[in-house]
Amino acid sequence: LEEITQRPKGDNKIQYLLTCIGFAVGLGNVWRFPYLCQTYGGGAFLIPYVIALVFEGLPLLHMELAIGQRLRMGSVGVWSSISPYQGGVGVASMLVSFLVGLFYNMILAWILWYFFHSFQSPLPWRDCPINISVNYFWYRETLNMTPNIETSGSLQWWLVLCLASAWCIVYICFIRGIETVGKAIYATATFPYLVLTIFLITALTLPGASDGLIYLFTLNWETLKNPKVWLDAATQIFFSLSLAFGGLIAFSSYNPQKNNCERDALIVGCVNSFTSIYASIPIFVILGFKANENNNNCQNWNILTLTNAFNIGVGNITLENYGEWLNYLNKTDPSEVESLNLKACNLQTFLEESASGTGLAFILFTEAVIEMPASQVWAVLFFVMLFCLSLSSMFGNLEGVLTPLLDLHIVPPWIPKEAFTGLICLISFAVALIFTLGSGNYWLEIFNSYVGSVPLLIIAFFEIIAVAYVYGINRFNDDIEWMTGRRPNIYWQATWRFISPFMLLVVFVAYVVIEAEKQPTYNAWNPDYVSFFFFFYVPL
């Protein structure tokens, strides 16, 4: 076995690992994983999550890093080399990377918009014309949303500027390919951990912090009887590791062939899962603080109502004795209490008010940060963290597009790589302008829900089938032994041959069944029709 064509290389192994970790660790670790924990019984969700990591995530991650390192090509070149009939798998992953990059960078543009506004005092989403100020600032001041997707609306100039800025930043960081990405990744991959640690230390001092932690780590074993818990755990670990995008294959193709890719897979996979758990702690602490504030506000409103209705002296009813007073008044004059229509104040109910995705970042957290001391500082730190997470993931998405195209030699040699990268960024910016329309958020939800879900499951299934049964598992084992110095053990053999393909098939079938059970709505813009399009037209 000889070294294949010379390729650029990163400066060192740490840089490579940070690049892979930065691509894998993204927004889903901060705003999707905590939501799933909150929805499915706190710590109990970790059981199916770890099982999915061991039998689905790590085997696929090891396989992609190994095959990219051995064949030293991007996704299209790798799968075409294995079999000409498998070339469509590489094209599909490249297409998905391109489409995901379109809406992912739009999220980066939103983050920039909020980041710029975080320096204002007071924060602009604190005092809006209506009571629900954070919702108003998000849906009206930021998105200026139309009533439905059929009403496109006009381009929002402030979002166009933020989107242009986001693509310029990506281009500057990517202008020399892996060489400049490697320099930027030191900041984008490590800074989020610093911010999370600062958030954790400070948030633990907030009132209600313990309520959030108790809610996170209280195990609700009954939720494990719900099949959807296992399905969501399997899909979360799959998408969290950024499998089947082609970015990991591209990054590993710059490695020297004599490199321990098994150890790399274990490090990247475990760091990614640790990050999800670590990020959940400050998020739940802040949610506990917000739930405590909402519960106190609710009780204070009731206290004021009771004080006025029963002519009780101001200050007699407090948060500490509110329950005792309410019980007493219910016994002495229940009809009067009932006529007041008091609010139902329950801390557990406020803790269960879950949100994920943009709802967590741009509504729930922005509402919580208003009540925090030095709110501008926390807002800036939070959005800088999201910026770093988004940017490092965008490196992988763009690499998953550029590397296959350059490996196919379809770009004339007289065109500099920097110019070609700029052209791809410019085309992406032009297409992504659809997300800056008044209806842009509807389009982004369609892309987010369907572009990066079913197609990736199908791509990963064909990837592992190609390696295990077309390329040949024995040949693959020989390659790994040559690269790492030892043959894959029985765990890797069993997962590659049987367990991982079976789990991917089960997840896909379960997804189709769940979608089929949904009540159909015959609307031209029904996301199910868009899902149908992507399912059958992503080239395989």
Side-chain angles (χ1 to χ4, degrees), residues 141-157:
E141 295 292 329
T142 301
L143 301 178
N144 195 21
M145 279 183 65
T146 57
N148 50 59
I149 196 171
E150 288 92 346
T151 308
S152 296
S154 60
L155 294 175
Q156 314 302 317
W157 64 266

Side-chain angles (χ1 to χ4, degrees), residues 162-200:
C162 288
L163 182 63
S165 301
W167 277 110
C168 287
I169 293 170
V170 170
Y171 174 68
I172 291 170
C173 294
F174 218 96
I175 191 168
R176 297 289 301 276
I178 194 67
E179 299 170 14
T180 48
V181 166
K183 302 296 187 297
I185 204 67
Y186 285 112
T188 60
T190 58
F191 187 75
Y193 293 97
L194 174 63
V195 175
L196 285 174
T197 303
I198 295 173
F199 266 110
L200 176 60

Side-chain angles (χ1 to χ4, degrees), residues 445-447 449-455 458 508 511-512 515-516 518 524-538:
E445 285 300 321
I446 291 174
F447 273 65
S449 300
Y450 296 96
V451 174
S453 55
V454 174
I458 300 173
F508 172 71
Y511 182 90
V512 172
E515 288 295 309
K518 291 182 179 179
W525 296 108
N526 187 341
D528 288 336
Y529 293 108
V530 182
S531 173
F532 178 88
F533 171 82
F534 281 114
F535 179 83
F536 286 102
Y537 286 88
V538 170

